[in-house]
Amino acid sequence: MKNIFTLFLSVLASCSMMAGVSPSDKAILLNLYKSTNGQNWINKWNIGAPVATWYGVKLDGDKIIALDLQDNNLVGEFPSDIARLLDLQELNFHKNAICGKIPSSIKDLKNLKVLDLSFNKLSGSIPAEICEIEGLKNLELYMNGFTGELPLEIGKLKNLEALVIFNNQIEGKIPTSLYTIETLKTLLLNSNKFTGRLSIEVANLTNLENLSLFENNLEGQVPFDLEKLNNLKEMNISYNQFSGLTSRRLALLDTLNMTMVNDRGVAVLLDVAMDYERPLVSED
């Protein structure tokens, strides 16, 4: 009897493993296929086959945990019902032609670790609701048409390792809460319209390896506190309106050796302080 019961449990587990995704989740995928012109995708779905065989769909049992459809000729508006795939850990639409706005319902994807919507035709502001996905590690929204300001609540993303939003039209000041994300390794805000000063609190980003603020409208003194970022390997903060002195170390670290745009629109190099061994000082 014990052997029969064990066999029954094994069969039951096997059937569970083979179970397909729920009808509602499958309907969401089918809507994605239809609304983004699936018939012209590079890698099409055979919608008559099991979902587990569909290109870019990754399952864990009967749960959809990843959609990786990068560079696959998706065309159309961002389908808002994607936010109902509550088990998603990765959503990657990199290099397609998705347009429209990111829906506020994106906040419902509480398990999301990777959100890559880069190199599309998205517009509008980056919704503050993204900041409610507190487990997010990679947020890549570069090469779109985003406007408005970076959400003030960005600091709620305490696990974020990469924030990559270059080549948009984002304006305003860098939110102070950003400097509290100690897990950040990559921060690429270049080619936007950021204004104001770079806070000395940037020194709190102790894990930062790559910093790019290139081609914005930032001004004031370049914080010497940047020298405290011992893990920093790449930096480009040129083509802003920073002024005053910079250190030799920072000038060498910067890709363009601190080339700034002055009030006449002329590219000039910042003066380098020659007392290389001086103690670190703040702009205050």
Side-chain angles (χ1 to χ4, degrees):
M1 178 66 72
K2 183 178 179 181
N3 290 338
I4 294 175
F5 182 69
T6 302
L7 178 62
F8 173 75
L9 289 179
S10 298
V11 171
L12 191 63
S14 178
C15 290
S16 176
M17 291 286 289
M18 295 175 62
V21 302
S22 68
S24 59
D25 283 358
K26 184 175 181 179
I28 293 169
L29 293 183
L30 289 173
N31 182 56
L32 167 67
Y33 191 71
K34 179 180 178 181
S35 63
T36 58
N37 202 17
Q39 290 299 318
N40 288 313
W41 286 6
I42 296 171
N43 296 286
K44 302 178 180 62
W45 286 346
N46 178 1
I47 59 177
V51 172
T53 66
W54 294 3
Y55 175 80
V57 179
K58 182 178 180 180
L59 304 181
D60 183 4
D62 60 350
K63 307 296 185 185
I64 302 170
I65 62 170
L67 275 178
D68 185 354
L69 296 170
Q70 58 181 304
D71 200 10
N72 201 39
N73 199 35
L74 276 67
V75 178
E77 292 199 4
F78 190 98
S80 60
D81 58 355
I82 286 288
R84 289 163 48 204
L85 296 175
L86 301 182
D87 299 294
L88 269 186
Q89 298 175 24
E90 176 182 353
L91 179 58
N92 190 341
F93 286 164
H94 167 74
K95 201 175 182 183
N96 284 288
I98 301 293
C99 61
K101 299 180 179 181
I102 300 177
S104 60
S105 58
I106 196 78
K107 67 182 180 181
D108 295 331
L109 296 177
K110 300 299 185 186
N111 293 303
L112 207 60
K113 301 290 189 295
V114 175
L115 179 59
D116 188 344
L117 305 177
S118 57
F119 221 123
N120 277 281
K121 298 181 178 180
L122 293 164
S123 58
S125 59
I126 297 173
E129 286 81 2
I130 281 183
C131 304
E132 297 184 33
I133 312 174
E134 295 185 3
L136 203 60
K137 290 186 176 182
N138 281 52
L139 178 57
E140 303 195 24
L141 304 175
Y142 62 90
M143 298 291 290
N144 277 287
F146 290 113
T147 55
E149 299 184 1
L150 194 60
L152 297 177
E153 304 89 341
I154 194 71
K156 293 171 66 175
L157 299 177
K158 296 300 184 185
N159 297 292
L160 201 63
E161 296 180 3
L163 177 60
V164 187
I165 58 174
F166 62 83
N167 278 89
N168 281 286
Q169 300 293 318
I170 300 170
E171 57 190 10
K173 297 180 179 180
I174 298 173
T176 55
S177 69
L178 177 64
Y179 304 117
T180 68
I181 309 177
E182 297 179 2
T183 52
L184 266 180
K185 295 180 179 179
T186 300
L187 179 59
L188 308 182
L189 307 181
N190 51 288
S191 302
N192 279 287
K193 296 181 178 180
F194 285 105
T195 55
R197 291 173 173 260
L198 178 59
S199 171
I200 61 175
E201 294 181 51
V202 70
N204 295 333
L205 304 178
T206 53
N207 288 297
L208 203 61
E209 298 176 0
N210 190 347
L211 171 65
S212 182
L213 304 173
F214 170 81
E215 200 179 32
N216 279 287
N217 297 309
L218 297 169
E219 60 186 11
Q221 173 72 48
V222 175
F224 287 121
D225 300 75
L226 282 169
E227 292 190 3
K228 298 176 183 178
L229 300 178
N230 295 324
N231 291 308
L232 199 59
K233 300 178 178 67
E234 296 181 52
M235 183 179 78
N236 189 350
I237 63 174
S238 288
Y239 281 86
N240 281 280
Q241 295 175 7
F242 290 123
S243 57
L245 291 175
T246 189
S247 72
R248 178 176 173 80
R249 178 183 171 191
L250 292 179
L252 290 174
L253 183 60
D254 187 81
T255 304
L256 294 173
N257 303 121
M258 298 290 183
T259 302
M260 300 299 159
V261 178
N262 65 17
D263 55 3
R264 299 188 301 277
V266 178
V268 295
L269 290 176
L270 284 190
D271 291 331
V272 176
M274 300 310 294
D275 51 337
Y276 182 71
E277 299 301 327
R278 56 154 179 70
L280 293 175
V281 295
S282 300
E283 58 186 297
D284 297 322

